[in-house]
Amino acid sequence: MNIAIVGTGYVGLVSGTCFAEMGINVTCVDVNEEKIDSLLKGQIPIYEPGLEEMVLRNSREGRLKFTINLRACLDDVDIVFSAVGTPPDEDGSADLQYVLAVAREFGQNINKYTILVTKSTVPVGTAKKVKATIQEELCKRGMNIPFDVASNPEFLKEGAAIKDFMSPDRVVVGVESEKAKELMTKLYRPFLLNNFRVIFTDIPSAEMIKYAANSMLATRISFMNDIANLCELVGADVNMVRKGIGADSRIGSKFLYPGCGYGGSCFPKDVKALIKTAEKEGYNMRVLKAVEEVNEYQKSILFEKLERYYNDDLRGKTVALWGLAFKPETDDMREATALIMIDLLSKAGCKVKVFDPVAMEECRRRVGNLVDYANDMYDAVLNADALVLLTEWKQFRLPSWGVIKKSMNEPVVFDGRNIYDASEITELGFKYFAVGR
């Protein structure tokens, strides 16, 4: 089976590589010539565990190809995936210019029945616009070539994307015809031989499922952050509260971990986009607006704790930040709490030293020389007045506290992810502050 994937960003590259791993012939297309040249040389533009090895292997074995020319491969493929970016506009709504550009090129160049599948996260109703755009281009050509559009939202977690794709808990596919359903079934069957977990829906429902899923997860996070903040005020321990409510089978334990706010490429963007979709329909998403408000506040909560500890005078203090990416196992800093912290600390007159296992170059790209870049986690705390943990990388979980205590000007830790044992760390002579405890 032959397919093409337009867009070699996170979703497109991971999806294309995983399809190739299952024996499908994949052509990845991107208008960015520099990116395609790098991929042809075996240089991977993103960090994802296991991805580089898989890209190189499938490229070497001829199942994974890269090009800037969609037109050249259209006659040879049955399905084209659109995995281009949908960045938020200034008002928070999704920008569909790249999605519609793919639809135009598709309509201008197909010569046989082909499916255009939207993989990007797009608002409900986008498929209608895509279909109309394709039809418009076919009319300009005076052609009556059959085609289908479909929606196949991705549910990839950065840091575990390959596992998520290769062993999905479900695959959602929105289709309009039996022919499209049959072809998409054939495509996904190798991934789901033992348990065919493809959920076929109409296209608007498929488009909504992705937004609803991410918004629900974001809601759980913001809810627990709100509870955590109240726990501090009333003397409760949010970890005990989390365990207590998570034991309820109706609630479950996932995404009930409080912290210093969520970030990344999905949750913030998708919550905003769903709010804007509702506004266009004259509906007010009250819960999601509160979710967004809580999250924005939560990103500054550790800074407020630092201010209180130093009596609102942080000027001249050296603060070490452990973790820059929005979550472990990625170098993605989009909407990361670290960016808010760096900005607030710098404006307060602090010297900021940072370390992250993989996101240092991304931080340099974003903030330049605004911070000092440490060689490792222990170099970051050298002569620091406070240590702030922002991202719960595994290597931060069991540090040598004796070395850290000797290295710091003052042994004080602000744990933004609640990964340390409060009694253990205070017994070692540290002052310890967490979230909701």
Side-chain angles (χ1 to χ4, degrees):
M1 193 172 190
N2 300 323
I3 68 172
I5 295 184
V6 185
T8 57
Y10 189 87
V11 173
L13 187 57
V14 170
S15 300
T17 304
C18 289
F19 277 130
E21 183 76 4
M22 297 303 287
I24 296 162
N25 296 314
V26 182
T27 301
C28 288
V29 184
D30 203 295
V31 296
N32 187 327
E33 292 188 38
E34 184 178 344
K35 184 183 286 189
I36 291 297
D37 287 342
S38 296
L39 286 165
L40 288 169
K41 295 174 184 175
Q43 300 168 359
I44 312 304
I46 60 173
Y47 176 81
E48 176 65 30
L51 181 61
E52 182 175 1
E53 177 187 355
M54 194 178 285
V55 169
L56 294 176
R57 179 173 63 252
N58 284 281
S59 297
R60 185 170 60 248
E61 295 175 3
R63 290 186 300 273
L64 184 62
K65 299 176 182 178
F66 301 98
T67 182
I68 60 170
N69 193 344
L70 174 61
R71 180 179 182 179
C73 66
L74 274 177
D75 288 346
D76 299 320
V77 301
D78 304 301
I79 301 171
V80 175
F81 282 91
S82 175
V84 294
T86 54
D89 276 336
E90 290 183 6
D91 66 353
S93 60
D95 183 350
L96 298 178
Q97 63 172 308
Y98 305 114
V99 171
L100 297 179
V102 173
R104 276 192 295 274
E105 189 170 5
F106 181 88
Q108 289 164 359
N109 294 292
I110 57 169
N111 294 304
K112 63 176 181 61
Y113 174 82
T114 314
I115 306 176
L116 179 59
V117 183
T118 301
K119 197 77 174 163
S120 309
T121 302
V122 295
V124 177
T126 299
K128 290 182 180 180
K129 297 178 181 178
V130 167
K131 188 174 182 178
T133 300
I134 296 169
Q135 194 61 61
E136 181 183 343
E137 294 301 327
L138 288 173
C139 289
K140 288 178 182 178
R141 295 168 61 191
M143 305 290 284
N144 186 26
I145 300 168
F147 70 92
D148 266 310
V149 296
S151 174
N152 179 211
E154 54 84 18
F155 298 97
L156 305 179
K157 297 187 292 292
E158 293 191 41
I162 291 174
K163 179 180 180 296
D164 287 347
F165 199 101
M166 301 298 280
S167 301
D169 52 12
R170 86 287 202 198
V171 175
V172 174
V173 182
V175 293
E176 290 182 327
S177 74
E178 280 300 315
K179 188 171 184 179
K181 182 177 179 180
E182 289 172 8
L183 205 53
M184 294 300 289
T185 298
K186 180 181 177 182
L187 176 68
Y188 275 110
R189 196 179 302 282
F191 295 88
L192 303 159
L193 287 176
N194 297 324
N195 187 5
F196 193 68
R197 297 178 296 276
V198 175
I199 301 171
F200 284 103
T201 71
D202 58 84
I203 292 179
S205 295
E207 291 172 333
M208 178 61 83
I209 284 169
K210 172 61 186 255
Y211 279 110
N214 279 350
S215 295
M216 172 59 79
L217 297 176
T219 299
R220 287 172 69 96
I221 294 171
S222 281
F223 173 79
M224 283 310 298
N225 283 334
D226 235 5
I227 292 295
N229 297 338
L230 182 57
C231 282
E232 288 189 24
L233 296 173
V234 300
D237 186 331
V238 74
N239 278 348
M240 295 181 182
V241 174
R242 174 182 59 79
K243 291 175 184 177
I245 66 174
D248 187 327
S249 60
R250 297 168 300 175
I251 298 173
S253 60
K254 293 184 178 179
F255 283 82
L256 291 185
Y257 292 86
C260 51
Y262 61 75
S265 61
C266 291
F267 287 6
K269 177 172 71 71
D270 291 355
V271 168
K272 286 181 173 67
L274 193 52
I275 290 170
K276 285 299 173 183
T277 296
E279 287 179 355
K280 289 176 181 177
E281 298 297 326
Y283 187 74
N284 182 19
M285 299 292 281
R286 299 169 183 83
V287 172
L288 287 188
K289 286 182 177 179
V291 167
E292 191 175 38
E293 182 182 347
V294 169
N295 190 58
E296 289 308 305
Y297 169 71
Q298 205 69 14
K299 289 181 179 181
S300 63
I301 196 167
L302 294 178
F303 177 76
E304 292 184 4
K305 290 176 183 288
L306 272 162
E307 277 194 314
R308 284 197 297 271
Y309 181 77
Y310 285 111
N311 297 314
D312 294 326
D313 185 13
L314 287 169
R315 185 164 299 279
K317 300 296 182 184
T318 298
V319 179
L321 301 184
W322 277 1
L324 297 167
F326 84 94
K327 63 178 284 188
E329 303 298 335
T330 181
D331 62 351
D332 194 342
M333 287 185 66
R334 283 174 287 184
E335 303 283 345
T337 299
L339 295 173
I340 302 296
M341 284 295 291
I342 288 169
D343 181 59
L344 291 172
L345 290 168
S346 299
K347 288 177 178 176
C350 293
K351 176 182 179 181
V352 184
K353 296 178 68 177
V354 302
F355 177 73
D356 187 286
V358 301
M360 298 289 269
E361 286 304 315
E362 178 64 11
C363 189
R364 282 191 180 93
R365 187 182 73 81
R366 287 178 173 272
V367 304
N369 296 322
L370 195 59
V371 300
D372 290 345
Y373 297 91
N375 296 317
D376 55 46
M377 57 191 283
Y378 295 105
D379 181 32
V381 299
L382 187 62
N383 299 320
D385 296 295
L387 166 61
V388 179
L389 178 109
L390 298 178
T391 314
E392 64 276 29
W393 285 90
K394 290 178 181 176
Q395 72 182 75
F396 298 152
R397 294 183 183 180
L398 286 172
S400 176
W401 290 114
V403 173
I404 292 170
K405 187 176 180 182
K406 290 178 182 178
S407 299
M408 296 182 70
N409 292 337
E410 183 180 0
V412 56
V413 175
F414 295 83
D415 180 0
R417 300 298 174 184
N418 288 1
I419 68 171
Y420 300 126
D421 184 298
S423 58
E424 176 186 352
I425 199 170
T426 52
E427 284 177 8
L428 293 171
F430 285 84
K431 293 178 181 177
Y432 176 69
F433 301 91
V435 179
R437 297 163 69 183

